[in-house]
Amino acid sequence: MDLSNYSFLITGGAGFIGSNLVEYLLNNNAKLVRVLDNFATGKRENIAPFLQNERFQLIEGDIRDYNTCKDAVAAIDFVSHQAALGSVPRSINDPITTNEVNIAGFLNVLNAVRECGVKKMVYAASSSTYGDSKILPKVENVIGNPLSPYAVTKYVNELYAQVFADLYSLNSVGLRYFNVFGPKQDPNGAYAAVIPLFMKSALAKESPYINGDGEQTRDFTYVENAVQANVKALLSETNGHEVMNIAFGERTSLNQLWNYITDLADVSLKPIYRENRAGDVRDSLANISKATNTIGYEPKFSVVEGLEITYNWYKGHE
């Protein structure tokens, strides 16, 4: 589909998923790609390659400020809302800020979208919404009780989006991401995700820490699959509000994951096991048939393929 007639706003566009999405849109001739980011967790280096592109705009600002959101949304066709404070442990340590960004900030963007007549908003929902439900694979209409403040915020986003669809006919799609990984994901800091941490350990030839016994499973999703889902959801014919799982559809244990990465790095290191982490689910696996049937989502990259690309990226950015 020709993107040259459309303008896009990516909130959190200097972040991991957001910057990969910006790159895709610019490479595919979008008329305008505007980023709103406060660089609390986003990185300037993630968007540095785009700054000289005449079809790229940066607004440095915070989604907690409503006027900033209105300015960012002005004259935009489609909004991909990626801005959030991620991490379950972060939300447990600081629930107030997580709530301010992920709920109040989300509502600001949603209302700005409504006021400015944007065609559609796609937003980053989360597999954490499934909470304590033990049912596998995860299906969109069966959720459990949330296990963290972060999970609460992501579920509230879905509730708000549905209300805005019902009251104001606002079109939106929530993408419940399952453990997205890939290039540009930060391996540093207290809330780094497991794959960048494992990559960092393998490259440093150091044993990683694993919380629990390592047999817990996740549906790891390479970032290009998430980018595809965003673009297809934005341009799809859906009306009202829809929520759908975005994943690869395969379970991988943390022990398997470490074995894959040690094979790539050609190292032999045993993990160091420690206590389980509060707020974590034991197992996760997505049913992705709704996304396939609704927006034509077809994940192109397996976990192993994504890990190889990601490892080579980290190796080149040591």
Side-chain angles (χ1 to χ4, degrees):
M1 188 173 180
D2 182 15
L3 301 183
S4 62
N5 293 321
Y6 300 116
S7 55
F8 299 83
L9 169 67
I10 315 299
T11 69
F16 158 50
I17 297 175
S19 61
N20 279 283
L21 179 56
V22 169
E23 183 175 7
Y24 177 91
L25 292 169
L26 289 172
N27 287 344
N28 285 273
N29 207 33
K31 180 174 74 174
L32 172 69
V33 181
R34 182 182 294 157
V35 162
L36 171 60
D37 207 299
N38 69 351
F39 297 99
T41 57
K43 303 290 184 186
R44 292 184 189 276
E45 56 261 36
N46 286 347
I47 58 167
F50 317 135
L51 294 175
Q52 302 308 313
N53 191 319
E54 62 184 11
R55 294 179 291 114
F56 177 81
Q57 293 179 357
L58 171 64
I59 296 177
E60 188 169 345
D62 197 307
I63 59 171
R64 288 172 290 184
D65 181 79
Y66 185 63
N67 288 330
T68 298
C69 293
K70 284 189 70 175
D71 290 344
V73 166
I76 289 292
D77 296 307
F78 297 104
V79 171
S80 177
H81 179 58
Q82 305 297 317
L85 273 184
S87 169
V88 165
R90 187 206 310 269
S91 75
I92 293 171
N93 292 336
D94 184 4
I96 300 294
T97 308
T98 298
N99 186 85
E100 289 172 351
V101 174
N102 293 4
I103 294 182
F106 178 88
L107 182 57
N108 282 341
V109 175
L110 193 65
N111 201 56
V113 162
R114 177 180 75 89
E115 289 201 331
C116 295
V118 170
K119 290 182 174 70
K120 184 174 289 184
M121 172 171 155
V122 171
Y123 64 93
S126 171
S127 59
S128 67
T129 297
Y130 289 104
D132 63 2
S133 172
K134 299 288 194 293
I135 299 168
L136 294 178
K138 305 297 185 186
V139 181
E140 286 82 357
N141 61 350
V142 181
I143 63 173
N145 297 305
L147 294 173
S148 67
Y150 174 74
V152 170
T153 68
K154 286 300 186 177
Y155 184 42
V156 171
N157 289 176
E158 294 182 10
L159 296 174
Y160 262 127
Q162 184 62 57
V163 166
F164 271 60
D166 294 341
L167 291 178
Y168 311 118
S169 300
L170 189 151
N171 293 324
S172 61
V173 178
L175 303 178
R176 284 184 187 160
Y177 294 149
F178 281 69
N179 296 87
V180 181
F181 72 95
K184 303 183 184 179
Q185 192 172 21
D186 190 1
N188 301 307
Y191 303 114
V194 64
I195 287 180
L197 286 174
F198 277 11
M199 294 286 179
K200 185 179 178 182
S201 293
L203 287 164
K205 295 181 169 52
E206 296 173 352
S207 293
Y209 288 101
I210 290 182
N211 301 311
D213 61 8
E215 288 305 301
Q216 61 267 52
T217 59
R218 297 291 182 267
D219 195 337
F220 293 105
T221 312
Y222 184 59
V223 67
E224 286 296 329
N225 297 332
V227 168
Q228 178 208 141
N230 272 273
V231 175
K232 285 186 170 177
L234 286 166
L235 302 176
S236 67
E237 298 296 320
T238 63
N239 288 306
H241 176 241
E242 297 283 356
V243 173
M244 56 195 72
N245 294 332
I246 300 302
F248 184 66
E250 183 179 284
R251 287 168 73 185
T252 304
S253 74
L254 297 193
N255 289 328
Q256 284 176 297
L257 178 68
W258 177 242
N259 288 337
Y260 287 148
I261 293 172
T262 55
D263 286 347
L264 288 168
D266 194 24
V267 295
S268 180
L269 294 163
K270 298 293 184 188
I272 300 167
Y273 296 95
R274 58 188 182 185
E275 289 182 357
N276 284 316
R277 198 170 64 173
D280 277 353
V281 299
R282 177 69 182 179
D283 297 295
S284 190
L285 173 68
N287 179 324
I288 58 173
S289 59
K290 182 176 180 181
T292 299
N293 295 333
T294 307
I295 62 172
Y297 170 67
E298 295 178 0
K300 302 295 186 190
F301 294 86
S302 70
V303 175
V304 173
E305 290 167 335
L307 286 173
E308 183 172 1
I309 299 167
T310 304
Y311 174 76
N312 289 329
W313 185 87
Y314 281 113
K315 194 174 179 182
H317 287 78
E318 278 188 280

